[in-house]
Amino acid sequence: MSFDLGVWAIPQSISDAQAMRIYEELCEENAASVRDDPGVQRFAQALLEQFPALEDLADEQIEDSPWSVSPWVTGSHVIISTVWSRSSEVTQFVLGLTGQYGLVCFDPQDAVVVHRPSTPA
């Protein structure tokens, strides 16, 4: 069992219900509701510098990784699956990055947006 998060850019405010719909679409490989954003790529790069993808690790390093599976990175979104024992650590790191890059972070376990960027004035 894993702990999952979704991260993406969206130009307007978003409700928890809207975020759940988008997350479900993204998991079904439908990215029509989100757009490519350079912040997503910078987020993914920083995330994978801190916690390398499983395929970039030596066999003896895999046990120390927080990933259930490597993050799924596209130009518009990142889907993250961590092992439960490392979920708090990874979530705190992810929230720092989403705040830095102005991205949405959605927790599908609780069906809530845990970082909701403010709408530009």
Side-chain angles (χ1 to χ4, degrees):
M1 192 158 159
S2 65
F3 178 86
D4 304 324
L5 295 170
V7 174
W8 62 84
I10 196 159
Q12 71 274 1
S13 176
I14 188 170
S15 71
D16 294 338
Q18 289 169 317
M20 178 58 94
R21 181 186 52 77
I22 291 170
Y23 178 80
E24 289 171 344
E25 289 173 359
L26 295 176
C27 289
E28 294 172 1
E29 300 185 27
N30 174 2
S33 297
V34 295
R35 58 177 167 65
D36 283 0
D37 186 281
V40 172
Q41 291 303 305
R42 290 192 297 270
F43 165 86
Q45 181 179 1
L47 179 67
L48 292 171
E49 284 175 7
Q50 180 71 22
F51 305 109
L54 292 172
E55 55 272 13
D56 294 335
L57 298 174
D59 289 343
E60 61 273 6
Q61 296 174 302
I62 290 177
E63 283 292 319
D64 296 327
S65 175
W67 305 129
S68 295
V69 296
S70 293
W72 176 28
V73 178
T74 74
S76 63
H77 64 279
V78 179
I79 303 296
I80 298 166
S81 294
T82 70
V83 295
W84 274 96
S85 62
R86 302 280 303 273
S87 63
S88 179
E89 171 191 6
V90 173
T91 299
Q92 290 308 308
F93 188 78
V94 165
L95 290 176
L97 289 178
T98 56
Q100 182 178 345
Y101 296 116
L103 303 172
V104 169
C105 181
F106 179 71
D107 171 355
Q109 287 80 204
D110 292 326
V112 296
V113 176
V114 289
H115 183 260
R116 189 182 322 261
S118 58
T119 304

